[in-house]
Amino acid sequence: EAQVTQNPRYLITVTGKKLTVTCSQNMNHEYMSWYRQDPGLGLRQIYYSMNVEVTDKGDVPEGYKVSRKEKRNFPLILESPSPNQTSLYFCASSPQNGQGRYTFGSGTRLTVV
Amino acid sequence: GNSVTQMEGPVTLSEEAFLTINCTYTATGYPSLFWYVQYPGEGLQLLLKATKADDKGSNKGFEATYRKETTSFHLEKGSVQVSDSAVYFCALISNNAGNMLTFGGGTRLMVKP
């Protein structure tokens, strides 16, 4: 089944403790992206990657890092999480010419206390 | 820059009622327009799209028409069901922004039996 898999689904952590949210897709998509979803703000893009070893900032990149060492994986790293990063996170992928046809993961609900 | 504005929710309707969710956009170039749907506890799924002026996208009884003159892409359904309860996101891709989707804030629809 074609899908984007995120882990974990839920995570509660403490301020300053480094964490990684994994994202993997099995569709050989070139484009991958991370979004955060907050009430009233819709989805805001954090980082995206056009292909292996090519990443770029989205609208809200502060406090996050990503890497794209393999085509299928696009982890999101929070080096020193803070409470304002409490949110619902989505990973998405698309073919390079997908023209907006994204496949989304099921989401990771992160709480930073 | 690009932006998408949706009517604020929640929208509460009785089963079989007519649905309209308003969406307007600002974009440079000639955007493609989308509606995504997010069912409870899931990631977003593409519902329908339109790529040029006067195109009508349709799926699962939902439809939306790309109106360039009013920069709008309102979502409509003639008779909603309880199973349509979800959050609906309007989005766009502009041809000068690569593969990057810009989302509206989302509109929650609640359908009561």
Side-chain angles (χ1 to χ4, degrees), chain A:
Chain A
E1 181 189 353
Q3 59 185 357
V4 175
T5 303
Q6 292 179 231
N7 280 297
R9 289 293 307 273
Y10 302 92
L11 179 60
I12 301 175
T13 190
V14 297
T15 299
K17 185 177 181 183
K18 181 180 178 180
L19 67 91
T20 299
V21 183
T22 63
C23 173
S24 181
Q25 51 96 1
N26 62 1
M27 296 164 283
N28 202 36
H29 286 169
E30 291 83 8
Y31 184 90
M32 297 186 75
S33 180
W34 276 103
Y35 289 86
R36 60 177 290 173
Q37 182 181 9
D38 300 291
L41 297 177
L43 276 78
R44 294 179 292 168
Q45 191 175 52
I46 303 170
Y47 269 94
Y48 65 96
S49 169
M50 304 286 277
N51 214 323
V52 175
E53 302 292 3
V54 180
T55 64
D56 210 345
K57 297 177 181 178
D59 296 323
V60 288
E62 293 78 20
Y64 304 94
K65 285 174 55 177
V66 292
S67 68
R68 188 90 183 273
K69 294 186 172 59
E70 306 162 282
K71 198 171 189 180
R72 63 184 291 123
N73 295 325
F74 190 46
L76 179 69
I77 303 153
L78 284 71
E79 294 270 2
S80 183
S82 62
N84 65 10
Q85 293 178 298
T86 293
S87 187
L88 179 58
Y89 291 87
F90 287 100
C91 181
S93 73
S94 170
Q96 195 65 23
N97 296 318
Q99 298 179 321
R101 293 183 177 273
Y102 286 18
T103 301
F104 280 81
S106 298
T108 296
R109 185 166 292 282
L110 172 66
T111 303
V112 183
V113 299

Side-chain angles (χ1 to χ4, degrees), chain B residues 25-100:
Chain B
Y25 66 90
T26 302
T28 53
Y30 301 94
S32 295
L33 304 174
F34 305 84
W35 278 99
Y36 275 80
V37 58
Q38 183 182 29
Y39 298 104
E42 298 182 12
L44 282 72
Q45 304 172 25
L46 178 63
L47 180 60
L48 53 86
K49 66 179 282 189
T51 57
K52 61 183 188 298
D54 299 325
D55 266 3
K56 178 185 284 188
S58 61
N59 186 24
K60 299 182 181 179
F62 291 90
E63 55 183 38
T65 301
Y66 189 144
R67 302 286 188 201
K68 192 165 187 282
E69 64 277 12
T70 55
T71 61
S72 66
F73 193 54
H74 305 322
L75 182 68
E76 296 182 336
K77 187 174 184 181
S79 176
V80 293
Q81 306 300 312
V82 173
S83 57
D84 294 327
S85 298
V87 181
Y88 292 82
F89 291 91
C90 187
L92 69 83
I93 276 184
S94 179
N95 59 0
N96 65 350
N99 205 14
M100 187 184 304

